Amino acid sequence: MGFFSAIGSFVSGAISAVGRCIGGAIKTAVGSLSHIARTAGGALGGIFGKAAGLLSRAASIVAGPLGPIVTQIIIEVAARVIERIAQELGIIDKDDKVEEVGYRLEEAGALDDNGQLKHPEWKRPEDFDNLHDYYAYLKQMVPDESIDYGKMKQNRLRYVAVGTAGLSEGWSQRMGIAITDSFILAIGRANLRQGEITAIVNAFKGLGFSSVELEAFLRGNGLSISELNRIREAIISSYQALYPDKTADDIRLRIQEWRRAVCDDAAVGEQYKDWIQDIQNQADQGLAPEDIDFHYEPAYTKDMK
């Protein structure tokens, strides 16, 4: 059975309501973040623009009541692994959370009633050498005790998207290669493990790419056969450097799984059907959308760091 016939036809009214709520929040967030991006400008505006793009592109994946829920799962998966990468690279501290990063960034870009920056006197990312130093500054301007955790809970997806966009920019600076929004979405769509992400980034950087164009590679867009083969071999080599127990055939099969998830929207839902079922169970128990736990972790995400 396909994803929609196996899961979609049994969607309850409760999870449909959750989907509508998330869908409305996504639409509102995209418009608001896009407006902040234009007003803030510079690197800060770029972060908000990237967050709006992430939500907008992810929201186009699956139609119907489950679409917004799958969108949130994709963003949550990408955010979780990018948070870990940022912690290990020292961009944020070990106890920092991606949604807190998003909350502080949004406060830095907040607009007043006249549509102007609420904190024009605050320093901007351009005033610092890296995101680590800028975020340390934001933690002084927005200390833990001033965070409205109730507001964060109600707007979790928005803050997670902004935090993910911000951390990916810090990651780009640290690695010397652009982390595109298409790559971030590929992380969520294909449920890429942290080690796999490292292998992919190393492969593209080693080949001299200015950005990680995983989606273009998997879809075959704008690349010649020789370029596709060169990228594939670089990924295999980089992957085996981290996981020497994996054969080239093992990795080729894994690349095929990535390709299916990135190229086939229904495959994304298939991959996360247990997670979706868990969310449906929570909705059927009467939990409000903001109280539903999106941290469910399928067993297959635990086998590779």
Side-chain angles (χ1 to χ4, degrees):
M1 264 187 154
F3 167 60
F4 291 105
S5 58
I7 299 294
S9 61
F10 300 107
V11 172
S12 68
I15 197 172
S16 294
V18 171
R20 287 192 298 271
C21 182
I22 295 174
I26 291 172
K27 184 176 180 180
T28 299
V30 169
S32 176
L33 294 174
S34 297
H35 180 58
I36 295 174
R38 291 190 296 269
T39 304
L44 189 60
I47 289 172
F48 285 103
K50 189 169 190 173
L54 282 172
L55 288 174
S56 181
R57 289 189 60 177
S60 68
I61 292 173
V62 182
L66 289 178
I69 292 169
V70 176
T71 295
Q72 179 148 356
I73 288 173
I74 290 169
I75 298 295
E76 293 277 354
V77 169
R80 185 172 58 219
V81 70
I82 290 173
E83 176 189 271
R84 289 199 298 262
I85 290 170
Q87 289 169 346
E88 292 189 3
L89 291 175
I91 296 170
I92 55 175
D93 294 335
K94 292 293 185 182
D95 57 348
D96 287 330
K97 302 298 181 184
V98 64
E99 61 268 29
E100 295 171 352
V101 174
Y103 186 97
R104 289 184 166 101
L105 285 169
E106 184 150 323
E107 183 62 27
L111 306 180
D112 61 22
D113 293 339
N114 297 316
Q116 301 300 311
L117 285 176
K118 180 180 175 183
H119 306 294
E121 76 284 1
W122 282 18
K123 293 181 180 179
R124 297 172 64 85
E126 294 87 345
D127 297 320
F128 298 85
D129 292 333
N130 51 61
L131 183 69
H132 172 272
D133 293 346
Y134 177 56
Y135 189 59
Y137 166 76
L138 288 185
K139 288 172 75 173
Q140 295 176 356
M141 305 307 291
V142 187
D144 289 347
E145 56 269 21
S146 69
I147 292 178
D148 185 339
Y149 285 96
K151 180 180 178 182
M152 181 187 295
K153 182 179 179 181
Q154 290 183 328
N155 298 279
R156 174 175 171 79
L157 181 56
R158 173 188 176 121
Y159 291 125
V160 167
V162 174
T164 300
L167 293 180
S168 70
E169 288 303 295
W171 182 17
S172 295
Q173 293 171 3
R174 184 64 59 88
M175 297 302 298
I177 185 170
I179 305 298
T180 62
D181 56 353
S182 66
F183 180 43
I184 294 171
L185 291 180
I187 291 172
R189 287 181 65 115
N191 191 23
L192 295 179
R193 283 71 155 170
Q194 186 173 339
E196 293 177 330
I197 293 167
T198 299
I200 291 165
V201 171
N202 289 345
F204 277 93
K205 184 176 179 180
L207 291 173
F209 279 77
S210 61
S211 58
V212 182
E213 298 296 341
L214 180 66
E215 183 179 8
F217 162 68
L218 294 175
R219 291 183 180 274
N221 292 341
L223 297 168
S224 67
I225 296 297
S226 62
E227 287 176 316
L228 291 172
N229 289 334
R230 191 166 64 102
I231 293 169
R232 182 182 299 104
E233 293 309 308
I235 290 175
I236 290 172
S237 177
S238 183
Y239 202 119
Q240 288 182 315
L242 292 172
Y243 302 102
D245 60 316
K246 299 294 182 180
T247 68
D249 285 342
D250 290 335
I251 300 165
R252 289 190 187 96
L253 287 173
R254 183 60 179 147
I255 290 173
Q256 285 292 85
E257 292 176 356
W258 302 344
R259 178 171 290 111
R260 180 168 180 262
V262 167
C263 298
D264 181 357
D265 292 343
V268 180
E270 289 270 6
Q271 177 170 238
Y272 293 124
K273 62 184 179 182
D274 290 342
W275 196 335
I276 294 167
Q277 185 63 62
D278 181 77
I279 293 168
Q280 176 159 317
N281 292 341
Q282 293 181 66
D284 289 344
Q285 292 169 13
L287 291 180
E290 65 270 19
D291 293 326
I292 288 180
D293 182 8
F294 275 85
H295 291 86
Y296 173 83
E297 189 171 8
Y300 53 75
T301 67
K302 300 174 183 177
D303 63 357
M304 183 182 294
K305 182 178 179 183

